[in-house]
Amino acid sequence: MRKTHLFTLILIAFSVYTWAQQKQIQVTDIYQGAFRTEGMDALRSMNNGTQYTVLNTNRGNQSSTIDKYDYKTLKKVATIVSSTDLVDIPFFSAYSFSADEKKILLSTEVEPIFRHSSLGIFYVYDIESKNVVRISETKIQEPMLSPNGKQVAYVRDNNIYIFDVTTGATKQVTTDGVKNKIINGVTDWVYEEEFAFVRAFEWNSDGSKIAFLRFNETNVPEFSMDVYGTGLYQQPHVFKYPKAGENNSIVTLHLLDVASGTISQINTNNAYYVPRIKWKNHKDMLSVQTLNRHQNHLTMYTVNAKKAEVSVLLEEKDEAYIDITDNLTFLEDDSFIWSSEKDGWNHIYLYNEDGKLMNQITKGEWEVTNYYGYDQNEDKIYYQSTENGSINRGVYNISSGGDNKKALAIEEGANNASFSTDFTYFINTYSSAEIPPVYTLNQAINGKKVKDIKDNSQLLKRLEGYLVSPKEFSTISINGNDLNMYMIKPKDFDSEKKYPLLMYQYSGPGSQNVSNSWMGVNDYWHQMLASEGYVIACIDGRGTGFKGSDFKKVTYMNLVKYETEDQIAAAKKLSELAYIDEDRTGIWGWSFGGHMSTNCLLRGNDVFETAIAVAPVTSWRFYDTIYTERFMRTPAENPNGYDDNSPFNYPELLEGNYLLIHGSGDDNVHVQNSMRMIEALIQANKQFDWGIYPDKNHGIYGGNTRIHLYNKMTNFIKEKL
């Protein structure tokens, strides 16, 4: 007994000594890359299915190469092109192959426009001849090689052009493009942000036709944003931004006959939104997805480009809304695979070429979270899902008949696959809350691991020198639902002590913060705060994703109402824990989460003492049409839904400590949101703290900005909570 007691004392002493040697994470550690994970460069599987390519860059000497690797050995077998061999291109930052992999499109001097869009200088490289041709003397958008690599379609100044790679000749396809009025071939701001695509044109399979969208944004209201820069006068940045209830672009579908240059408009029955176009395998058959303004009635059309005939292929309706995805594959006979939430959970379906349902392939009270594709030779559909728990992700294959399902990667945590073109192999990326990303090569048919590729063991070893606590996953019963939750406690946690509670959330429709995956930057900051003696908690309330459409869509017409109720109720329940100081409860969030933290502090002023809101929406009347109306309809149809939960309508409820932060260059959630909140609080004679980051967008980054921001939030929490 005495030896056991002595051994226990030694263990305790060693643990105390180890904790004493561990350092606290600092904000500078996080944002200067001390905990950066080692990843795999984005790889592209080649047509042969046995090899892949990777862009390798050396920013030190401003050089780049496209290298070819073998899946089986993971060894480099060739360099396809190196910038050091190209006289006019010292460095390229992205690339894409022609369909036959004989030519490569190289991009340089890329500059961002909005979240997904950019301008750049582009070249075509011929692999066999090693010739390189510049496409345009000025910067262009979204160039795309024709299937045979002989032509490049692109957009410049809102017009479509076609460049002939052989002759160097350029043909202007459209002529009516005008900034802030007419756009051909690329999307307007709101489509880019909410439907998540920029290129709005597609070549057909033989390069004889191009389908494209035309945006007439003449009647869309303009938004003006001052850019302060470093000059004597600030400059206005003006662009079209349709706020909820306002006019959207009128979008029309057109077909270009490449040889003749003839353009014809396709009748889409006055569709309000056209969020996707996709050619089928047949060169004359185009699929077009449309939505009504409420986004609860989706129609997919087939367009016969040769006959200019349009027919309905599929229709879906929902009492709330329908999400747009890229989960669509046309098979050789133009039957197709499609995902839908129509049975209450996101699943995969098979339809024949006429749009008749043949089979629901996946079923169950779980969600398909990623559709990877279909191997027609083996009749295998590959997908990711929540079958092993809503906070986990597993990879599976299944036949188109819905049987012979095989679990390929289901270790508890997050598994994500990248498949070779012929579905022989996949590279699995696995992580959990305790294990940083691990990369393995696996056989696609059965999931068997071929070899280890890379892990982050060095990062784990580095983290041993820091005070890091485990994420504790659980559920909490709130308002009749078992909500997913995680908690981070101080490393030297003592259940006999009282700790302040800081809650973090985003809470937007279909989102997820509570996931069994490796840490993001906010997680490191939370670890830092935990080492300072705070308990961190995160709860995914009603409206968040991966627990069925009913759970997700219950917030329809009343964004942030139920979400706020859940966070307030959760805070009350957590405050009942013996180790939580009920008089020191805080909450923070960004964007939708900033709206939430503001509402929680005001509506829950008897529960929360402190809140931080970064780039918050404060009225859905100020946000864009597509996102807001999807969940709220228009302000004219639902005025109470818009106003009853807008915090600047009840600033008098502020009792606690409030920090409000925004970037003045936020093109997404305009600083107008914070300015209206600030003015409301001033007129209510409420004291609060605030900060504006000049010219910073919704992400509020650049230079030392993130370090400054997170130090500011840290100091506020230490002082107020």
Side-chain angles (χ1 to χ4, degrees):
M1 289 294 293
R2 183 173 179 78
K3 285 183 179 180
T4 302
H5 181 63
L6 179 61
F7 181 68
T8 302
L9 288 176
I10 292 172
L11 274 180
I12 293 172
F14 178 76
S15 298
V16 171
Y17 173 77
T18 302
W19 288 341
Q21 299 305 303
Q22 289 175 318
K23 301 181 294 183
Q24 286 185 340
I25 291 173
Q26 302 297 318
V27 167
T28 51
D29 294 330
I30 301 169
Y31 288 101
Q32 291 179 353
F35 310 116
R36 187 176 293 119
T37 56
E38 192 175 347
M40 284 195 68
D41 294 314
L43 61 87
R44 303 187 187 194
S45 180
M46 302 198 73
N47 291 343
N48 59 25
T50 62
Q51 295 172 321
Y52 61 90
T53 60
V54 171
L55 175 66
N56 291 311
T57 59
N58 185 332
R59 296 193 178 271
N61 63 9
Q62 285 289 287
S63 64
S64 47
T65 60
I66 298 172
D67 299 312
K68 186 191 301 184
Y69 294 81
D70 182 81
Y71 269 111
K72 196 168 186 179
T73 65
L74 300 175
K75 293 182 179 179
K76 187 171 83 170
V77 296
T79 293
I80 298 175
V81 59
S82 172
S83 63
T84 57
D85 297 330
L86 305 175
V87 176
D88 297 324
I89 314 176
F91 179 83
F92 48 85
S93 56
Y95 71 102
S96 60
F97 282 97
S98 59
D100 59 9
E101 295 183 343
K102 292 182 179 180
K103 292 184 175 68
I104 306 176
L105 195 64
L106 304 173
S107 62
T108 67
E109 301 179 39
V110 175
E111 61 180 84
I113 302 174
F114 295 118
R115 189 191 296 261
H116 305 290
S117 55
S118 61
L119 286 163
I121 299 294
F122 293 85
Y123 299 82
V124 177
Y125 177 76
D126 187 298
I127 296 174
E128 184 177 349
S129 69
K130 302 189 185 308
N131 288 334
V132 61
V133 180
R134 181 166 172 157
I135 296 171
S136 171
E137 290 304 310
T138 57
K139 291 190 173 184
I140 61 176
Q141 284 185 267
E142 300 299 318
M144 185 180 189
L145 283 158
S146 62
N148 61 13
K150 293 181 179 181
Q151 295 175 300
V152 180
Y154 64 88
V155 174
R156 185 178 72 210
D157 298 329
N158 290 8
N159 281 312
I160 299 174
Y161 294 77
I162 295 180
F163 173 76
D164 189 298
V165 177
T166 304
T167 66
T170 299
K171 178 173 64 177
Q172 185 169 348
V173 173
T174 64
T175 58
D176 58 347
V178 179
K179 183 179 180 181
N180 286 341
K181 287 188 178 180
I182 304 295
I183 311 172
N184 294 288
V186 292
T187 54
D188 64 1
W189 185 94
V190 71
Y191 265 61
E192 174 182 337
E193 177 66 27
E194 304 303 353
F195 288 140
F197 74 108
V198 177
R199 182 189 293 120
F201 70 86
E202 296 289 338
W203 291 94
N204 70 345
S205 60
D206 70 352
S208 63
K209 293 181 176 63
I210 293 177
F212 70 92
L213 299 180
R214 177 183 185 269
F215 292 77
N216 183 341
E217 54 178 3
T218 303
N219 294 323
V220 177
E222 289 183 340
F223 184 81
S224 180
M225 188 169 64
D226 278 340
V227 178
Y228 296 96
T230 58
L232 190 60
Y233 294 92
Q234 77 270 30
Q235 297 296 316
H237 176 48
V238 180
F239 60 100
K240 297 284 187 165
Y241 185 107
K243 293 179 184 283
E246 299 296 318
N247 290 328
N248 279 287
S249 293
I250 298 170
V251 182
T252 50
L253 173 66
H254 303 262
L255 285 177
L256 166 72
D257 182 85
V258 176
S260 68
T262 303
I263 297 175
S264 56
Q265 182 173 333
I266 301 302
N267 180 14
T268 55
N269 294 320
N270 297 314
Y272 197 80
Y273 293 121
V274 187
R276 293 291 186 271
I277 57 175
K278 182 183 180 74
W279 287 97
K280 299 185 182 183
N281 293 309
H282 192 288
K283 64 183 178 63
D284 290 325
M285 295 298 177
L286 175 73
S287 72
V288 181
Q289 295 178 43
T290 70
L291 282 172
N292 61 334
R293 183 159 189 164
H294 286 162
Q295 300 174 66
N296 60 4
H297 182 184
L298 181 145
T299 305
M300 189 192 304
Y301 295 99
T302 292
V303 177
N304 185 318
K306 191 172 184 178
K307 299 179 180 179
E309 294 177 350
V310 180
S311 58
V312 175
L313 182 61
L314 176 146
E315 281 191 273
E316 285 198 12
K317 296 181 180 180
D318 192 283
E319 291 183 2
Y321 57 88
I322 296 172
D323 289 318
I324 295 296
T325 74
D326 293 309
N327 298 342
L328 174 63
T329 297
F330 287 100
L331 311 186
E332 288 180 1
D333 61 357
D334 277 340
S335 58
F336 60 97
I337 295 167
W338 170 260
S339 70
S340 171
E341 291 182 319
K342 65 182 182 179
D343 80 340
W345 302 81
N346 193 48
H347 282 297
I348 301 173
Y349 296 79
L350 176 66
Y351 293 83
N352 71 10
E353 67 276 15
D354 296 320
K356 182 180 178 181
L357 178 63
M358 297 172 66
N359 185 38
Q360 181 176 345
I361 297 168
T362 61
K363 299 175 183 177
E365 292 188 352
W366 45 267
E367 302 260 318
V368 171
T369 49
N370 203 341
Y371 164 70
Y372 297 117
Y374 177 58
D375 179 3
Q376 197 153 351
N377 291 329
E378 297 291 335
D379 186 33
K380 292 294 182 185
I381 290 165
Y382 291 89
Y383 68 94
Q384 180 199 62
S385 77
T386 61
E387 289 173 69
N388 55 349
S390 60
I391 67 171
N392 299 308
R393 299 290 185 273
V395 178
Y396 303 81
N397 67 28
I398 192 171
S399 75
S400 61
D403 51 13
N404 300 317
K405 179 159 58 175
K406 178 71 177 178
L408 305 178
I410 58 169
E411 185 175 353
E412 198 168 276
N415 294 275
N416 193 19
S418 175
F419 286 88
S420 61
T421 302
D422 66 352
F423 293 98
T424 298
Y425 300 107
F426 71 93
I427 291 176
N428 189 55
T429 305
Y430 168 77
S431 77
S432 70
E434 298 177 348
I435 301 172
V438 174
Y439 303 88
T440 58
L441 179 69
N442 303 69
Q443 292 179 359
I445 195 69
N446 55 23
K448 182 179 178 182
K449 185 171 75 172
V450 177
K451 60 176 57 182
D452 296 312
I453 302 175
K454 184 182 292 189
D455 61 29
N456 277 278
S457 55
Q458 289 301 312
L459 174 59
L460 278 179
K461 188 173 182 180
R462 191 181 315 131
L463 283 168
E464 289 176 1
Y466 289 87
L467 290 167
V468 176
S469 301
K471 269 186 181 178
E472 300 175 7
F473 292 100
S474 62
T475 59
I476 182 170
S477 182
I478 298 293
N479 293 323
N481 295 280
D482 290 330
L483 305 181
N484 292 336
M485 179 178 79
Y486 71 71
M487 187 176 282
I488 303 171
K489 298 172 182 174
K491 188 70 177 285
D492 58 351
F493 176 75
D494 183 347
S495 60
E496 299 299 316
K497 291 183 178 180
K498 292 276 190 180
Y499 296 91
L501 172 68
L502 178 65
M503 294 171 61
Y504 166 68
Q505 45 64 58
Y506 176 73
S507 302
S511 66
Q512 184 176 57
N513 281 135
V514 183
S515 66
N516 189 8
S517 56
W518 185 245
M519 292 192 284
V521 290
N522 284 332
D523 291 301
Y524 287 106
W525 186 57
H526 292 156
Q527 290 286 349
M528 185 191 84
L529 294 173
S531 70
E532 295 272 3
Y534 294 89
V535 170
I536 311 298
C538 180
I539 295 100
D540 280 339
R542 284 174 289 178
T544 57
F546 312 111
K547 300 183 79 172
S549 61
D550 288 346
F551 184 83
K552 180 175 71 173
K553 295 176 180 178
V554 70
T555 62
Y556 185 60
M557 301 289 277
N558 283 292
L559 279 188
V560 309
K561 179 182 187 297
Y562 299 115
E563 301 95 316
T564 300
E565 290 175 2
D566 284 352
Q567 297 297 320
I568 292 172
K572 286 181 178 178
K573 193 161 190 174
L574 291 175
S575 294
E576 295 171 0
L577 296 171
Y579 54 82
I580 296 297
D581 184 344
E582 64 178 356
D583 296 323
R584 298 170 69 192
T585 304
I587 187 168
W588 88 279
W590 198 306
S591 193
F592 195 109
H595 191 343
M596 284 289 300
S597 59
T598 303
N599 256 26
C600 285
L601 184 63
L602 271 60
R603 295 287 197 192
N605 57 18
D606 60 334
V607 180
F608 291 99
E609 284 74 41
T610 300
I612 298 175
V614 184
V617 175
T618 59
S619 171
W620 291 111
R621 291 179 181 270
F622 296 156
Y623 202 55
D624 72 61
T625 48
I626 293 178
Y627 182 92
T628 311
E629 293 173 15
R630 181 185 304 151
F631 310 119
M632 296 278 282
R633 298 201 173 183
T634 66
E637 295 172 287
N638 183 23
N640 291 341
Y642 278 81
D643 296 334
D644 289 352
N645 295 289
S646 291
F648 63 60
N649 287 329
Y650 36 88
E652 69 280 356
L653 296 182
L654 178 65
E655 299 294 339
N657 311 300
Y658 183 50
L659 173 60
L660 176 58
I661 292 168
H662 220 117
S664 73
D666 193 335
D667 63 283
N668 185 356
V669 179
H670 304 148
V671 71
Q672 172 191 25
N673 285 271
S674 285
M675 291 303 182
R676 284 290 295 272
M677 189 70 214
I678 288 166
E679 176 62 12
L681 291 170
I682 290 170
Q683 296 309 317
N685 198 25
K686 295 291 184 177
Q687 293 296 318
F688 61 100
D689 294 89
W690 60 290
I692 301 295
Y693 285 87
D695 295 341
K696 295 301 181 283
N697 65 14
H698 196 54
I700 312 182
Y701 60 85
N704 285 322
T705 303
R706 279 290 179 96
I707 293 174
H708 186 280
L709 168 61
Y710 276 82
N711 277 330
K712 184 178 185 67
M713 294 196 296
T714 301
N715 294 337
F716 183 80
I717 289 169
K718 287 182 178 180
E719 179 184 346
K720 304 294 187 181
L721 190 60

